[in-house]
Amino acid sequence: MAILIIEDEKKLVNILKKALKEERYSVDVAYDGEEGLSKAMRNNYSLILLDVMLPSKDGFAICRELRARHIHTPVIMLTARGAIEDKVFGLDAGADDYLIKPFSLIELFSRIRAILRRRKTTDEDMLKVANLVMDKKKHEVTRGGVVIPLTPKEYKLLDTLISRKGEAVKRRDLIDHAWGPTFKEVGNELNVHIKYLRSKINKGNKKPLIHTVRGVGFVLKE
Ligand code: CA
């Protein structure tokens, strides 16, 4: 289980990192908002610990942007500010839980476990279109029960499409999720990767699932 910590207080980061590693979580860290958002978009974490007051982009904005991009990684907001409005604001932004600094590690771990447990029982981890299934917990894609080996980029592209199935997904949204928000296409990277993804998904199947939406992007549907 990988956890992303987005927090600029180095001392707190070190404490959290050490404690989480002792609990056998793997840990990634971002010390500012932009870096945190781009890591959260590029990688699949089980959970994000998100500070509110951050350089370059605050925690509420990060959380809102993730949710707007259909990234539903659970988020626990960490903040020194204890005002009730902040709590409501954080949860409105799409956070799953909230901890006020200073908090105890026991409290933090119990919240993490509760969220991951809740997460286990949701079917958000199993996404389907026709006979194509993405099992996010296993990080595995199958069609008609046959495993389709995908590269990390192809997986992310499919993840974005399948989370928004039936919807025309803009090219930029796909690029943001697979390459990160600062990436600029120099060639035809998106089309090339979609082409590979398409051929892998269609292999041995007559029905294409990824369709081009002219002038917009792509849609995944039957
Ligand atoms: Ca801070």
Short mmCIF file of all heavy atoms in Angstrom, two decimals, residues 15 49 51-52 63 71 73 89 92 96 101 116 118 134-136 143 153 167 191-193 202 207 210 212 217:
data_model
loop_
_atom_site.label_atom_id
_atom_site.label_comp_id
_atom_site.label_asym_id
_atom_site.label_seq_id
_atom_site.Cartn_x
_atom_site.Cartn_y
_atom_site.Cartn_z
N ILE A 15 8.71 12.29 10.70
CA ILE A 15 8.02 11.48 11.72
C ILE A 15 7.00 10.55 11.06
O ILE A 15 6.93 9.35 11.33
CB ILE A 15 7.32 12.39 12.76
CG1 ILE A 15 8.36 13.16 13.58
CG2 ILE A 15 6.40 11.58 13.66
CD1 ILE A 15 7.80 14.29 14.42
N LEU A 49 -2.08 11.85 2.45
CA LEU A 49 -2.12 12.72 3.62
C LEU A 49 -1.79 14.11 3.12
O LEU A 49 -0.71 14.34 2.58
CB LEU A 49 -1.10 12.27 4.67
CG LEU A 49 -1.30 10.86 5.25
CD1 LEU A 49 -0.18 10.52 6.20
CD2 LEU A 49 -2.65 10.76 5.95
N ASP A 51 -1.63 18.21 3.64
CA ASP A 51 -1.58 19.42 4.46
C ASP A 51 -2.40 20.51 3.79
O ASP A 51 -2.56 20.52 2.57
CB ASP A 51 -0.10 19.84 4.58
CG ASP A 51 0.08 21.03 5.50
OD1 ASP A 51 -0.75 21.22 6.42
OD2 ASP A 51 1.05 21.77 5.30
N VAL A 52 -2.93 21.45 4.58
CA VAL A 52 -3.72 22.52 3.98
C VAL A 52 -2.83 23.68 3.54
O VAL A 52 -2.86 24.11 2.39
CB VAL A 52 -4.81 23.03 4.94
CG1 VAL A 52 -5.49 24.28 4.38
CG2 VAL A 52 -5.86 21.94 5.16
N CYS A 63 -7.14 19.01 -3.51
CA CYS A 63 -8.21 18.03 -3.36
C CYS A 63 -9.31 18.25 -4.39
O CYS A 63 -9.77 17.32 -5.04
CB CYS A 63 -8.76 18.14 -1.94
SG CYS A 63 -9.64 16.68 -1.46
N ILE A 71 -10.14 11.57 -9.88
CA ILE A 71 -9.17 10.76 -9.14
C ILE A 71 -9.72 10.66 -7.72
O ILE A 71 -9.87 11.67 -7.04
CB ILE A 71 -7.77 11.40 -9.18
CG1 ILE A 71 -7.28 11.39 -10.63
CG2 ILE A 71 -6.80 10.65 -8.26
CD1 ILE A 71 -6.07 12.23 -10.88
N THR A 73 -8.65 8.84 -5.07
CA THR A 73 -7.77 8.37 -3.99
C THR A 73 -8.25 9.01 -2.67
O THR A 73 -8.48 10.21 -2.63
CB THR A 73 -6.32 8.83 -4.26
OG1 THR A 73 -6.00 8.52 -5.61
CG2 THR A 73 -5.35 8.18 -3.31
N PHE A 89 -15.04 23.04 4.79
CA PHE A 89 -14.42 23.38 3.51
C PHE A 89 -13.61 22.20 2.97
O PHE A 89 -13.70 21.85 1.80
CB PHE A 89 -13.52 24.60 3.72
CG PHE A 89 -13.15 25.30 2.44
CD1 PHE A 89 -13.99 25.29 1.34
CD2 PHE A 89 -11.96 26.00 2.36
CE1 PHE A 89 -13.64 25.95 0.18
CE2 PHE A 89 -11.61 26.66 1.19
CZ PHE A 89 -12.45 26.63 0.10
N ASP A 92 -15.96 19.49 1.86
CA ASP A 92 -16.60 19.93 0.62
C ASP A 92 -15.66 19.79 -0.57
O ASP A 92 -16.08 19.54 -1.69
CB ASP A 92 -17.01 21.42 0.71
CG ASP A 92 -18.31 21.59 1.46
OD1 ASP A 92 -18.94 20.55 1.75
OD2 ASP A 92 -18.67 22.73 1.77
N ASP A 96 -11.75 12.89 2.54
CA ASP A 96 -12.47 11.81 3.20
C ASP A 96 -12.46 11.98 4.71
O ASP A 96 -13.35 11.48 5.40
CB ASP A 96 -11.86 10.46 2.84
CG ASP A 96 -12.01 10.17 1.35
OD1 ASP A 96 -11.19 10.71 0.58
OD2 ASP A 96 -12.94 9.47 0.98
N LYS A 101 -3.75 19.26 13.63
CA LYS A 101 -2.42 19.17 14.23
C LYS A 101 -2.42 19.87 15.59
O LYS A 101 -3.05 20.91 15.72
CB LYS A 101 -1.38 19.86 13.35
CG LYS A 101 -1.15 19.20 12.02
CD LYS A 101 -0.16 20.10 11.26
CE LYS A 101 -0.07 19.71 9.81
NZ LYS A 101 0.72 20.67 9.05
N LEU A 116 -9.17 2.81 4.62
CA LEU A 116 -8.78 1.72 3.72
C LEU A 116 -9.77 0.55 3.81
O LEU A 116 -10.04 -0.11 2.83
CB LEU A 116 -7.35 1.26 4.00
CG LEU A 116 -6.27 2.31 3.71
CD1 LEU A 116 -4.89 1.77 4.03
CD2 LEU A 116 -6.33 2.81 2.28
N ARG A 118 -13.03 0.88 4.56
CA ARG A 118 -14.21 1.35 3.85
C ARG A 118 -14.02 1.19 2.35
O ARG A 118 -14.89 0.79 1.61
CB ARG A 118 -14.41 2.84 4.16
CG ARG A 118 -15.81 3.20 4.56
CD ARG A 118 -15.95 4.69 4.70
NE ARG A 118 -15.18 5.27 5.80
CZ ARG A 118 -14.73 6.53 5.82
NH1 ARG A 118 -14.95 7.33 4.80
NH2 ARG A 118 -14.07 6.99 6.84
N MET A 134 -11.45 -3.52 -15.18
CA MET A 134 -10.23 -3.04 -14.54
C MET A 134 -10.37 -3.27 -13.04
O MET A 134 -11.28 -2.74 -12.40
CB MET A 134 -10.02 -1.55 -14.83
CG MET A 134 -8.82 -0.96 -14.09
SD MET A 134 -8.56 0.79 -14.49
CE MET A 134 -7.32 0.65 -15.76
N ASP A 135 -9.47 -4.08 -12.51
CA ASP A 135 -9.46 -4.35 -11.07
C ASP A 135 -8.36 -3.49 -10.47
O ASP A 135 -7.18 -3.80 -10.58
CB ASP A 135 -9.18 -5.84 -10.83
CG ASP A 135 -9.24 -6.21 -9.35
OD1 ASP A 135 -9.01 -5.32 -8.50
OD2 ASP A 135 -9.51 -7.38 -9.04
N LYS A 136 -8.76 -2.39 -9.84
CA LYS A 136 -7.76 -1.42 -9.39
C LYS A 136 -6.96 -1.93 -8.20
O LYS A 136 -5.83 -1.53 -8.01
CB LYS A 136 -8.43 -0.09 -9.06
CG LYS A 136 -9.08 0.52 -10.28
CD LYS A 136 -9.55 1.91 -10.03
CE LYS A 136 -8.43 2.88 -10.34
NZ LYS A 136 -8.91 4.26 -10.42
N ARG A 143 -10.14 -8.77 -20.38
CA ARG A 143 -11.29 -8.70 -21.27
C ARG A 143 -11.77 -10.12 -21.50
O ARG A 143 -10.99 -10.97 -21.95
CB ARG A 143 -10.96 -8.00 -22.59
CG ARG A 143 -12.23 -7.78 -23.42
CD ARG A 143 -12.12 -6.70 -24.45
NE ARG A 143 -13.43 -6.51 -25.08
CZ ARG A 143 -13.62 -5.86 -26.21
NH1 ARG A 143 -12.59 -5.30 -26.82
NH2 ARG A 143 -14.83 -5.74 -26.71
N LYS A 153 1.57 3.77 -18.70
CA LYS A 153 0.86 4.85 -19.40
C LYS A 153 -0.49 4.35 -19.94
O LYS A 153 -1.50 5.02 -19.80
CB LYS A 153 1.68 5.35 -20.59
CG LYS A 153 2.84 6.23 -20.20
CD LYS A 153 2.54 7.69 -20.45
CE LYS A 153 3.70 8.59 -20.04
NZ LYS A 153 4.46 8.20 -18.88
N GLU A 167 -18.38 8.93 -21.52
CA GLU A 167 -18.20 10.38 -21.56
C GLU A 167 -17.04 10.69 -22.53
O GLU A 167 -16.03 10.00 -22.50
CB GLU A 167 -17.80 10.81 -20.15
CG GLU A 167 -17.93 12.27 -19.83
CD GLU A 167 -17.41 12.55 -18.41
OE1 GLU A 167 -17.75 11.80 -17.47
OE2 GLU A 167 -16.64 13.49 -18.26
N ASN A 191 -1.96 9.94 -29.17
CA ASN A 191 -2.51 9.05 -30.20
C ASN A 191 -1.76 7.74 -30.30
O ASN A 191 -2.36 6.68 -30.48
CB ASN A 191 -2.48 9.74 -31.57
CG ASN A 191 -3.50 10.86 -31.65
OD1 ASN A 191 -4.11 11.22 -30.64
ND2 ASN A 191 -3.70 11.42 -32.82
N VAL A 192 -0.44 7.82 -30.18
CA VAL A 192 0.38 6.62 -30.27
C VAL A 192 0.02 5.64 -29.14
O VAL A 192 -0.21 4.46 -29.38
CB VAL A 192 1.88 6.98 -30.22
CG1 VAL A 192 2.73 5.73 -30.06
CG2 VAL A 192 2.28 7.74 -31.47
N HIS A 193 -0.07 6.16 -27.92
CA HIS A 193 -0.38 5.28 -26.79
C HIS A 193 -1.81 4.75 -26.85
O HIS A 193 -2.07 3.62 -26.49
CB HIS A 193 -0.13 6.00 -25.46
CG HIS A 193 1.33 6.05 -25.11
ND1 HIS A 193 2.19 6.97 -25.64
CD2 HIS A 193 2.08 5.26 -24.31
CE1 HIS A 193 3.41 6.76 -25.17
NE2 HIS A 193 3.38 5.74 -24.36
N ASN A 202 -8.59 -4.67 -28.19
CA ASN A 202 -9.41 -5.27 -29.26
C ASN A 202 -8.96 -6.66 -29.67
O ASN A 202 -9.69 -7.36 -30.36
CB ASN A 202 -9.40 -4.37 -30.50
CG ASN A 202 -10.24 -3.12 -30.28
OD1 ASN A 202 -11.00 -3.06 -29.32
ND2 ASN A 202 -10.07 -2.14 -31.13
N LYS A 207 -15.75 -6.23 -31.04
CA LYS A 207 -16.33 -4.93 -30.68
C LYS A 207 -15.26 -3.96 -30.17
O LYS A 207 -14.66 -4.19 -29.13
CB LYS A 207 -17.33 -5.15 -29.54
CG LYS A 207 -18.77 -5.05 -29.96
CD LYS A 207 -19.63 -5.00 -28.71
CE LYS A 207 -21.05 -5.43 -28.99
NZ LYS A 207 -21.75 -5.80 -27.75
N ILE A 210 -12.85 1.67 -27.50
CA ILE A 210 -12.35 3.05 -27.46
C ILE A 210 -12.70 3.73 -28.79
O ILE A 210 -12.34 3.24 -29.85
CB ILE A 210 -10.83 3.09 -27.25
CG1 ILE A 210 -10.46 2.46 -25.90
CG2 ILE A 210 -10.31 4.54 -27.29
CD1 ILE A 210 -8.97 2.37 -25.64
N THR A 212 -12.91 7.43 -31.08
CA THR A 212 -12.40 8.80 -31.21
C THR A 212 -13.58 9.76 -31.26
O THR A 212 -14.55 9.51 -31.96
CB THR A 212 -11.58 8.94 -32.50
OG1 THR A 212 -10.55 7.93 -32.47
CG2 THR A 212 -10.93 10.31 -32.60
N GLY A 217 -11.59 14.26 -28.02
CA GLY A 217 -10.68 13.27 -27.45
C GLY A 217 -11.17 11.88 -27.70
O GLY A 217 -11.40 11.49 -28.85
#
